[in-house]
Amino acid sequence: MKQKLSTLSPGQSGILAHLEDGGRHLSGRLRDLGFTPGSKVTLTGISPLGDPLAFRIRGTVIALRRTDAALLEVFPCEPEEGRGQR
Amino acid sequence: MIRAVLAGNPNVGKSTVFNALTGLRQHTGNWPGKTVETKTGTFRHNGHTVEITDLPGAYSLRPHSPEEAVAGDFLRENCTCEECGRLDCVVIVCDAAALSRNLILVLQILEMTPRCVVCVNLMDEAKKRGIAVDTDALSRLLGCPVIPCAARRKEGLSALQDAIVQTGTETGNTGMPASAYDDIPARAQAIAEETVHTCPDTAYRRDMLFDRIFLGKWTAYPIMALLVLGIFWLTIHGAGYLSAGLEWCFDRILPLCRDLLLICRLPEAVVSFLADGVLGTLTQVIAVMLPPMAIFFPLFTLLEDLGYLPRTAFCLDRLFCRCGACGKQALTMLMGLGCNAAGVTGCRIIDSPRERKLAILTNCLIPCNGRLPMVLFLTGTLTVLATGYEASGGLQAVLLTGTLFLCTTVTLALCHILSSTLLRGTPSAFALELPSYRIPRVG
């Protein structure tokens, strides 16, 4: 089941499926930042004001706004057990 | 002479490598976009002179902002044409902890020229976090020398110099081995999977712990306020002692100068003009203005090196977004607190031209280091006028923090007005890298 990247819950990971260009030349930028299909992405944090979201991808943490993260789709992984990443 | 250039993703330590190689002291900081312009230095190794240029960081050779184009254009101009190929070696600096992403740029540059040396920097940080990089395997897969390095500790530098000289003087080059993948990001990931061994338990634990404190729902803003307050408090207190010391010195030097002028048999009016007027004012200004600047700036640099500044952008982005601006403006405003010129040049990290203009235009509203003593003087005088008592250091710090809060509010309001009148538009996309925390180095 694909879902939008912005709908991951904190600590949850997903495998990126598809990049949809919102007409703002974002997809090229995101590809260079490592957001490419097949990459594993984890939601590591949410800004205290609720937006933007912080994602760990390819060893780096990138902050994206919810509207931008909604352009990406992921196959969510099962939540990790025990000491899960927050 | 060998001409080399340092390229790489933002915030991988290119400037630190540059400083370590050349012995220069280019300013460094832990946030993507610190280096604004290219800088050139030289070093000698094994009888060869190497001229090396430090480029601003770029995530890709396909630029998404005119500033990022600087690095791409420079490389294209200097590498692609054979006759005018004035570059002998491209040193691509990588962050060992984020090799998978860094390799995208490495592969893009390798497609352009085979005369590359890959420098895997920050090996010490990666090792501490349980990330191991097999540089020999990486070298085989990329078809170019790969040097592990820890530029802050000056480790691996002579090996890097050897590789630069060797690549720069060689004529024939092997080039990149063929790969099953056409797509660069997929290929980067495949290479990284083969060469990087990560222990996921320890890799990001420290960063996550710090982020839980610095970015926590209830702790983020109190900590932000406390950090600003703490820095101001230390500045004011330290400056008090330093000012007193300077004044004590000047009080003893001034009469001597006066006597010296009198010995020269100058007219009384001229002596008074020089001693009381010129020197008196000069020493007063130095005693009042210099100490706060001399203390504030190093303290601020510590915060910058820690990697905290981009986090403020992360915490405040929503406010700026509401006002039609970009959260990265918070970072440029903080830089403006150190120096408005640095703040304005730092605005290059904002991609959208409209939002960048907003940030540049409103940066002057943040009182910079040089204006801090003036603000201090004003808040101090106003406190005396209002209450009749002299403000203590703690109260001064609170007042200064309040002033900064006021400045931020005015900035936000002005951004809101500007983006609904002169600079109309909706907020554009936002992608900001939050770097790993690094322990600041003094000196």
Side-chain angles (χ1 to χ4, degrees):
Chain A
M1 253 308 275
K2 276 197 280 192
Q3 66 179 68
K4 284 177 176 171
L5 180 60
S6 53
T7 58
L8 284 180
S9 47
Q12 200 186 6
S13 301
I15 303 295
L16 270 178
H18 179 61
L19 253 85
E20 200 178 300
D21 199 331
R24 294 192 286 181
H25 308 290
L26 184 66
S27 68
R29 161 67 94 198
L30 287 180
R31 275 172 68 88
D32 294 332
L33 286 170
F35 286 87
T36 49
S39 304
K40 187 185 172 193
V41 52
T42 312
L43 178 65
T44 57
I46 301 173
S47 168
L49 293 176
D51 198 19
L53 309 172
F55 297 99
R56 178 171 300 286
I57 185 152
R58 295 187 176 217
T60 57
V61 178
I62 309 282
L64 297 178
R65 289 197 186 130
R66 279 180 192 274
T67 48
D68 300 327
L71 299 175
L72 304 175
E73 288 190 320
V74 287
F75 297 106
C77 307
E78 289 304 308
E80 282 165 51
E81 288 167 29
R83 32 145 191 88
Q85 295 168 314
R86 192 179 66 100
Chain B
M1 188 169 70
I2 297 167
R3 278 202 45 182
V5 67
L6 280 171
N9 279 175
N11 206 35
V12 293
K14 285 180 298 299
S15 296
T16 313
V17 172
F18 176 81
N19 288 347
L21 284 175
T22 59
L24 292 172
R25 286 173 70 92
Q26 167 99 293
H27 207 249
T28 58
N30 184 10
W31 54 280
K34 171 79 193 174
T35 305
V36 178
E37 49 194 16
T38 57
K39 187 157 188 183
T40 303
T42 53
F43 67 87
R44 283 192 68 80
H45 186 70
N46 290 351
H48 293 276
T49 306
V50 180
E51 184 194 82
I52 194 155
T53 305
D54 185 20
L55 289 180
Y59 285 112
S60 163
L61 291 183
R62 296 175 299 177
H64 300 286
S65 67
E67 285 67 21
E68 228 180 16
V70 171
D73 288 346
F74 186 92
L75 288 175
R76 249 186 300 275
E77 268 169 32
N78 288 290
C79 292
T80 41
C81 97
E82 271 302 320
E83 285 93 51
C84 64
R86 284 159 292 166
L87 266 186
D88 301 308
C89 177
V90 181
V91 184
I92 315 167
V93 186
C94 293
D95 177 354
L99 206 57
S100 169
R101 211 268 312 280
N102 284 222
L103 281 173
I104 297 175
L105 182 71
V106 173
L107 292 173
Q108 283 178 343
I109 295 176
L110 276 170
E111 274 191 344
M112 220 157 61
T113 172
R115 314 190 76 143
C116 290
V117 173
V118 173
C119 165
V120 183
N121 193 25
L122 301 166
M123 285 298 276
D124 51 337
E125 298 266 331
K127 198 172 165 192
K128 252 189 262 167
R129 300 207 251 145
I131 299 169
V133 181
D134 184 349
T135 45
D136 294 334
L138 193 59
S139 171
R140 249 195 333 276
L141 288 167
L142 293 175
C144 73
V146 176
I147 314 296
C149 200
R152 281 217 305 191
R153 295 159 175 258
K154 316 239 183 278
E155 284 168 19
L157 288 174
S158 61
L160 183 61
Q161 289 175 330
D162 283 340
I164 292 171
V165 168
Q166 205 190 347
T167 310
T169 47
E170 266 174 11
T171 43
N173 278 291
T174 48
M176 198 167 29
S179 164
Y181 297 94
D182 308 324
D183 182 47
I184 281 186
R187 200 169 158 201
Q189 191 163 15
I191 294 176
E193 269 163 21
E194 223 170 300
T195 53
V196 182
H197 309 286
T198 312
C199 170
D201 278 357
T202 53
Y204 311 115
R205 203 167 47 195
R206 194 182 62 174
D207 281 352
M208 302 249 283
L209 181 75
F210 275 117
D211 273 347
R212 209 165 294 179
I213 302 166
F214 284 131
L215 306 180
K217 198 166 186 174
W218 304 110
T219 47
Y221 300 111
I223 284 183
M224 201 185 287
L226 278 178
L227 276 174
V228 173
L229 199 67
I231 285 188
F232 282 152
W233 187 80
L234 281 173
T235 305
I236 291 164
H237 257 261
Y241 291 115
L242 212 60
S243 276
L246 279 175
E247 249 167 71
W248 185 87
C249 292
F250 288 140
D251 280 348
R252 269 143 200 81
I253 294 171
L254 271 182
L256 285 179
C257 293
R258 203 188 166 84
D259 292 345
L260 211 68
L261 289 170
L262 282 173
I263 292 170
C264 298
R265 291 178 181 280
L266 289 171
E268 183 72 28
V270 176
V271 171
S272 173
F273 169 73
L274 287 174
D276 304 332
V278 177
L279 284 174
T281 316
L282 187 69
T283 50
Q284 272 286 303
V285 170
I286 290 175
V288 174
M289 299 287 279
L290 185 69
M293 291 166 75
I295 296 172
F296 178 81
F297 210 73
L299 284 177
F300 182 77
T301 312
L302 287 184
L303 216 56
E304 190 186 343
D305 287 349
L306 179 69
Y308 181 69
L309 299 194
R311 262 103 184 155
T312 58
F314 180 69
C315 288
L316 296 173
D317 176 62
R318 192 156 206 190
L319 291 178
F320 284 95
C321 188
R322 284 265 170 85
C323 298
C326 175
K328 294 181 194 173
Q329 194 177 338
L331 207 165
T332 62
M333 282 163 68
L334 276 172
M335 286 308 292
L337 202 57
C339 167
N340 283 128
V344 170
T345 49
C347 289
R348 71 184 278 273
I349 59 168
I350 300 170
D351 294 329
S352 137
R354 188 189 70 86
E355 289 159 18
R356 194 179 319 149
K357 268 180 213 140
L358 280 177
I360 291 172
L361 286 172
T362 53
N363 197 275
C364 59
L365 290 171
I366 297 298
C368 75
N369 203 358
R371 279 187 277 165
L372 274 186
M374 201 60 214
V375 178
L376 265 178
F377 172 75
L378 280 175
T379 51
T381 314
L382 288 175
T383 316
V384 173
L385 284 177
T387 61
Y389 296 103
E390 204 164 313
S392 66
L395 181 62
Q396 281 270 38
V398 172
L399 286 172
L400 211 52
T401 312
T403 311
L404 188 64
F405 184 75
L406 191 72
C407 291
T408 312
T409 316
V410 174
T411 302
L412 283 169
L414 196 66
C415 281
H416 194 71
I417 293 168
L418 279 174
S419 50
S420 53
T421 53
L422 285 173
L423 294 166
R424 219 180 279 263
T426 46
S428 69
F430 170 87
L432 172 72
E433 184 173 354
L434 302 179
S436 295
Y437 292 97
R438 290 175 194 155
I439 299 160
R441 287 243 154 153
V442 183

